[in-house]
Amino acid sequence: MFKNYLKIAWRNVVKNKTYSIINILGLATGMAVAIIIGLWMYDEVSANKNFENYDTIYQVMMNQTFDGNRGSQQALPYPLGEELKNKFPDFKAVAMCDWGQRHSLVYGEKKISKFGHFIGEEAVSMFSLNILDGSKNPLHDPYSIVLTKETAGILFGSTNPIGKTIKLDNQTDLKVTAVVDKEPKNSSLSFDYLIPFQLEEILYPWIKQYHKANWGNNSWQVFVQLFNNTNPQSANAKIKDVVIAHFTDENTLKHIKPEVFLHPMRKWRLYSDFENGINTGGFIKYVRMFGILGLIVLLIACINFMNLSTARSEKRAKEVGVRKAVGSGRKQLINQFLNESLLMSAFAFILALGMVALVLPYFNKLTDKEMSLQMANPVFWLIMILFTIITGLLAGSYPAFYLSSFNPVRVLKGNLKAGRSSSLPRKILVVIQFASSVVLMIGTIIVYQQIQYGKNKPIGFNNKGLISVDWSDDIAKHFDALEQELLSSGAAISICQSNSPPSNIYSNNNGWEWSGSQPVEKSVVFSTITTTYNYTKTLGIKLLAGRDFSKGFADSNSVILNEAAVKRMRLKNPVGEQLKWNDRPMTVIGVIPDIQMQSPYRPISPLTIIFDKAWVGNLDIRLNPGMPVSKALALMKPVFTRYNPAYPFEYRFADEEYAKKFDYEELVGNLAAIIAALAIFISCLGLFGLASFTAEQRVKEIGVRKVLGASVFNLWRLLSKDFVILVLLSCAIAIPVGWYCMNEWLKNYDDKYRTNINVEVFVLVILVAIVITLLTISFQAIKAAIANPVKSLRTE
């Protein structure tokens, strides 16, 4: 019986080639979208699961209250690691870690700049790094270094690197003690090399001098591993007050209320958002959203199948009548039609796999992933088979029950007529289908508008023609000569030093006091930029009042404020005001506008710019606008090679770095746009099929109308009208749904930093939907309208 079902199913597929192709292509596209989104979702939810100790690794975090706001942070005090290791037996391993930075690695004539971490030696076993060669405890010696396989290959080629010596930043010799696999892209631990954390204290004596016992400076990360039988809640309770216990300033303690807690690895990637000290979710909302969108696209494809199958019910009515007359039960007929849909689903799945294989490399590039189809994995095939069966049953269930319900007597007598009521379910499905597509169109447009709103918002300085170069000891030693040669070459017109690049602010500090400030306001956090001379000139910042730091003044106790800081301090005439920063007297010498260096969708923080020659880590260079960029960089390269020989000449354009702040939103926007386009394509396939069937069903009516004088335009309008009405009804349903969904999404952004939803969006969507509909159905409508009426009427 099953063989017979398949044979009949195959004959129907071959007999109705056009409808079969439309059905299979539509289903395949929907299935391909669902598979790709499923792979993307799996990659997100499986982040960090490559670590063997996934369930017992935690990042130590801290809640603190600043200016009345309870915030959660990963930055912690330097002594915390030793405290947890020595006084809390719940922890199997504790590893301090910096935030990562680029350093130069030199071996012989080869010099490269790579990103890595100073990290505690217990991190190797904690994160179960895959050691390919070398010591099992490779970070025990302070003067050691662990390289990834890729970094080792660049420096040593095919030579075994173990035991070889690398020079770090042209000043410290480190022995290669291990080579490890590079972590996958969905891992939270990203590095090209690892260096023992204890070396940081050796290389930078100021750490030992200022931070060894400083519980108020939060500049490091701490990772811990619990013993398998340790209760995380119990460990949380024990360490909660570990920082508070070391505070000596009762007033600060009273207002800040630091509280330490453990954040599990399973939540690092998808549950990283905190509000008022409570974990509120994170990227998981987008994983869920795209999961729903994938199901919607698949549902749209299934609706196509249902519509075309039921639309052609009259063609198969006699078949159903004959089968019932010779004894077939309804159950048998349902099984037959479900087998047909399963066969179509199988063909669609094969085509979908081909589509996924073709587009997956481009999708990986778009999303910065390393996903694959996992063809050799039996679990993958089990999931795909179930997916294909469920899709086939979903697509074929309604047609199977509908077709098997026909009355054989009425069918065989020729009394089965498809009246208005028979087409109602199809119309409802078309409305649902197009409404879903229109909602996706609305979402895509508003996401794009939000991105453009952020990009077009003034940032308060000129980031075009501005580059940043990482600081080094060699640059520090030869800065004056380097600056002079760069300016003399004509490649640069201004140069400055700072502690962070123009695309970010690395430091935040409290402890400020001003005239009329209350004790509680000493906990207010101000962003901090340290620099020397020419900062505002180099970045293109226009002073609103006062002056910049100048060699003609003693500016070691001077500060420049932005407008937000002036407003927060309630200063009416800020220039000349006397402030205190942790009891250090400071004088306001200038005011600048609010400059946007951090998130373009969040309020600009109060900013203090301080003169400090020792606290710098970045070189900002304003290129000569009258010289081609390529020529300016070519002139600068030999200068840096001479004065910074251990580093390759690497630079970052400030405008490109700022553009990366939109990567998150652009990823969401690009994915939404792709899904919306495919949903519309699938919907149009369905419309094309239905238009073809409608034209075929009304061919004799069209012939009569042509004989009676109807024009091609009149016939086109007749056949198009019903579809346009359905699409307009879809828009009427989709617009309020789309408005609500996108209004909720925009609430993630501050009121001043989000776009408005304008009526023009909905007008545009309606016009686009109508145009797409008319373009889709016009081919069939015009084809039917210009057909020779003699051929259609001769059959009567």
Side-chain angles (χ1 to χ4, degrees):
M1 185 63 72
F2 180 71
K3 182 180 178 181
N4 186 50
Y5 289 159
L6 288 180
K7 187 183 292 185
I8 295 170
W10 173 249
R11 286 174 179 170
N12 274 293
V13 169
V14 174
K15 182 181 178 182
N16 303 290
K17 293 184 180 65
T18 301
Y19 297 102
S20 298
I21 290 171
I22 291 173
N23 269 336
I24 291 172
L25 182 58
L27 271 182
T29 305
M31 292 173 81
V33 172
I35 290 170
I36 289 178
I37 290 178
L39 289 172
W40 179 78
M41 291 174 65
Y42 176 76
D43 189 83
E44 290 292 340
V45 300
S46 62
N48 295 319
K49 287 189 177 179
N50 57 297
F51 297 116
E52 293 177 9
N53 304 312
Y54 174 79
D55 292 321
T56 57
I57 295 177
Y58 295 79
Q59 180 165 21
V60 184
M61 294 183 64
M62 180 165 61
N63 290 326
Q64 295 193 92
T65 301
F66 294 107
D67 204 16
N69 297 313
R70 192 72 170 163
S72 303
Q73 63 187 59
Q74 298 171 342
L76 299 167
Y78 188 88
L80 181 60
E82 285 297 319
E83 186 84 356
L84 295 178
K85 186 183 297 185
N86 297 330
K87 296 186 179 180
F88 295 90
D90 288 334
F91 301 117
K92 182 178 181 179
V94 177
M96 293 288 292
C97 184
D98 71 351
W99 294 95
Q101 54 189 309
R102 299 187 76 86
H103 285 277
S104 105
L105 306 177
V106 180
Y107 178 73
E109 295 300 315
K110 292 183 178 178
K111 57 181 179 180
I112 59 176
S113 175
K114 289 292 183 179
F115 177 83
H117 294 277
F118 287 93
I119 196 166
E121 64 177 293
E122 293 182 325
V124 176
S125 59
M126 180 192 301
F127 291 105
S128 56
L129 301 184
N130 184 21
I131 299 175
L132 302 174
D133 194 10
S135 170
K136 299 303 179 185
N137 187 19
L139 296 177
H140 182 68
D141 181 357
Y143 293 92
S144 60
I145 185 170
V146 173
L147 304 178
T148 62
K149 182 181 178 181
E150 289 77 7
T151 305
I154 294 171
L155 284 173
F156 299 99
S158 58
T159 304
N160 186 352
I162 303 301
K164 299 290 192 299
T165 299
I166 291 175
K167 191 172 284 290
L168 179 74
D169 293 342
N170 203 30
Q171 62 176 349
T172 307
D173 289 336
L174 302 178
K175 183 187 291 185
V176 179
T177 52
V179 175
V180 300
D181 260 337
K182 192 175 181 68
E183 294 300 312
K185 285 194 173 182
N186 65 349
S187 169
S188 296
L189 185 63
S190 175
F191 62 89
D192 299 308
Y193 63 85
L194 297 175
I195 303 173
F197 189 77
Q198 62 258 44
L199 181 63
E200 189 174 39
E201 189 176 311
I202 297 171
L203 295 181
Y204 310 118
W206 52 266
I207 292 178
K208 184 175 182 180
Q209 182 179 357
Y210 296 110
H211 300 297
K212 189 75 173 178
N214 185 352
W215 288 85
N217 180 280
N218 302 302
S219 302
W220 287 269
Q221 300 181 89
V222 183
F223 300 100
V224 299
Q225 180 187 353
L226 295 177
F227 285 102
N228 291 333
N229 59 351
T230 301
N231 186 299
Q233 286 74 29
S234 173
N236 254 327
K238 291 176 183 177
I239 68 171
K240 182 178 69 173
D241 296 327
V242 65
V243 171
I244 243 180
H246 291 84
F247 267 62
T248 55
D249 185 343
E250 290 296 327
N251 184 55
T252 304
L253 178 64
K254 175 182 176 183
H255 299 298
I256 294 180
K257 302 174 185 175
E259 183 177 290
V260 175
F261 67 96
L262 302 177
H263 188 51
M265 177 179 272
R266 65 178 182 276
K267 291 188 175 183
W268 288 0
R269 186 173 183 88
L270 300 179
Y271 298 87
S272 58
D273 290 351
F274 289 83
E275 190 173 334
N276 294 321
I278 298 172
N279 191 200
T280 55
F283 197 71
I284 186 64
K285 62 177 175 286
Y286 290 108
V287 174
R288 291 168 179 157
M289 180 182 80
F290 284 111
I292 293 170
L293 294 182
L295 289 175
I296 289 173
V297 173
L298 185 60
L299 179 62
I300 289 172
C302 291
I303 287 174
N304 275 354
F305 188 96
M306 296 177 190
N307 272 343
L308 290 179
S309 297
T310 55
R312 296 185 60 79
S313 58
E314 285 188 63
K315 298 287 184 180
R316 303 197 66 178
K318 289 183 180 179
E319 175 192 344
V320 173
V322 170
R323 286 183 174 276
K324 281 194 170 184
V326 296
S328 288
R330 188 179 183 191
K331 184 178 179 181
Q332 288 177 308
L333 290 169
I334 289 173
N335 286 337
Q336 176 193 330
F337 293 127
L338 285 178
N339 274 290
E340 287 184 21
S341 67
L342 286 172
L343 181 64
M344 299 275 269
S345 182
F347 289 150
F349 172 68
I350 295 170
L351 181 58
L353 277 185
M355 291 178 176
V356 173
L358 284 173
V359 304
L360 198 55
Y362 303 100
F363 190 77
N364 278 335
K365 186 176 180 180
L366 173 69
T367 57
D368 195 28
K369 297 284 187 184
E370 296 173 332
M371 299 181 296
S372 64
L373 273 173
Q374 314 249 337
M375 300 291 253
N377 188 344
V379 177
F380 170 79
W381 284 108
L382 177 61
I383 293 172
M384 289 299 99
I385 290 170
L386 289 173
F387 170 67
T388 305
I389 292 172
I390 292 171
T391 302
L393 293 176
L394 178 63
S397 57
Y398 176 65
F401 284 100
Y402 177 74
L403 292 171
S404 64
S405 66
F406 290 163
N407 187 314
V409 176
R410 292 183 60 198
V411 169
L412 296 176
K413 282 185 176 181
N415 294 330
L416 182 67
K417 299 294 181 183
R420 290 181 179 273
S421 60
S422 65
S423 65
L424 182 60
R426 288 197 298 277
K427 291 180 179 180
I428 292 173
L429 290 175
V430 168
V431 169
I432 293 172
Q433 186 182 49
F434 242 86
S436 302
S437 300
V438 170
V439 169
L440 291 175
M441 288 171 60
I442 292 170
T444 301
I445 293 171
I446 293 174
V447 169
Y448 173 80
Q449 287 183 334
Q450 176 65 12
I451 293 169
Q452 293 305 118
Y453 181 83
K455 285 185 174 180
N456 296 331
K457 198 171 181 64
I459 61 173
F461 70 100
N462 182 13
N463 63 7
K464 303 289 190 297
L466 181 65
I467 66 171
S468 294
V469 177
D470 287 329
W471 195 252
S472 74
D473 284 350
D474 285 335
I475 290 179
K477 291 174 186 174
H478 307 107
F479 175 73
D480 291 338
L482 176 73
E483 180 183 34
Q484 185 58 43
E485 284 203 32
L486 290 176
L487 294 175
S488 299
S489 71
I493 60 173
S494 183
I495 301 169
C496 71
Q497 309 167 39
S498 63
N499 69 333
S500 55
S503 57
N504 214 332
I505 298 176
Y506 289 160
S507 182
N508 298 281
N509 292 274
N510 58 0
W512 286 93
E513 299 175 78
W514 55 90
S515 176
S517 64
Q518 301 299 314
V520 67
E521 291 181 301
K522 199 173 181 181
S523 69
V524 176
V525 173
F526 290 79
S527 297
T528 305
I529 293 175
T530 58
T531 183
T532 53
Y533 304 110
N534 300 318
Y535 186 75
T536 59
K537 178 183 177 182
T538 304
L539 267 67
I541 303 171
K542 294 182 179 180
L543 283 160
L544 299 178
R547 62 174 178 85
D548 197 353
F549 302 119
S550 173
K551 293 181 180 179
F553 296 85
D555 280 328
S556 58
N557 288 326
S558 298
V559 60
I560 297 172
L561 306 178
N562 72 346
E563 291 178 284
V566 171
K567 182 179 179 180
R568 183 61 191 84
M569 292 180 178
R570 303 181 296 277
L571 304 178
K572 294 182 179 180
N573 299 298
V575 177
E577 280 282 346
Q578 299 300 307
L579 314 177
K580 282 186 179 181
W581 180 35
N582 293 320
D583 297 325
R584 172 184 166 187
M586 303 291 283
T587 302
V588 180
I589 63 166
V591 177
I592 63 169
D594 289 338
I595 53 177
Q596 186 61 272
M597 292 183 166
Q598 296 175 300
S599 170
Y601 300 118
R602 292 287 180 265
I604 296 174
S605 303
L607 171 67
T608 57
I609 303 177
I610 298 166
F611 186 89
D612 193 325
K613 290 184 177 181
W615 188 5
V616 292
N618 186 77
L619 196 65
D620 299 320
I621 303 171
R622 171 68 61 183
L623 300 179
N624 186 344
M627 181 182 292
V629 172
S630 57
K631 183 179 178 181
L633 295 174
L635 289 172
M636 293 169 64
K637 185 175 180 178
V639 179
F640 274 95
T641 301
R642 185 161 54 255
Y643 291 115
N644 195 31
Y647 278 79
F649 178 48
E650 293 183 346
Y651 49 85
R652 300 177 300 278
F653 284 94
D655 55 345
E656 292 179 357
E657 292 298 306
Y658 185 74
K660 290 179 181 178
K661 296 181 181 296
F662 301 92
D663 286 353
Y664 187 84
E665 280 75 18
E666 286 185 333
L667 171 62
V668 173
N670 289 335
L671 290 177
I674 292 169
I675 292 171
L678 291 173
I680 293 166
F681 170 73
I682 296 170
S683 298
C684 289
L685 276 179
L687 279 183
F688 183 85
L690 285 176
S692 175
F693 172 74
T694 301
E696 180 184 328
Q697 192 180 39
R698 302 178 69 175
V699 65
K700 292 181 178 62
E701 177 193 346
I702 293 169
V704 172
R705 288 180 180 273
K706 286 199 72 175
V707 170
L708 296 176
S711 66
V712 172
F713 175 77
N714 288 334
L715 294 172
W716 171 80
R717 186 177 60 184
L718 173 72
L719 294 173
S720 303
K721 182 179 65 175
D722 288 343
F723 290 105
V724 172
I725 291 172
L726 291 178
V727 170
L728 288 174
L729 181 58
S730 300
C731 290
I733 295 171
I735 285 173
V737 174
W739 177 87
Y740 174 79
C741 292
M742 296 316 298
N743 189 58
E744 290 297 307
W745 180 73
L746 287 173
K747 287 180 181 178
N748 292 317
Y749 303 97
D750 189 86
D751 290 347
K752 295 181 180 178
Y753 296 87
R754 69 183 183 208
T755 188
N756 295 316
I757 302 177
N758 299 314
V759 69
E760 290 87 349
V761 172
F762 306 115
V763 173
L764 175 64
V765 167
I766 292 172
L767 291 175
V768 169
I770 292 173
V771 169
I772 289 174
T773 302
L774 292 176
L775 289 175
T776 302
I777 64 178
S778 287
F779 174 78
Q780 292 293 349
I782 294 173
K783 179 183 175 183
I786 64 176
N788 189 343
V790 175
K791 291 182 179 180
S792 60
L793 295 176
R794 186 177 290 165
T795 59
E796 286 294 331

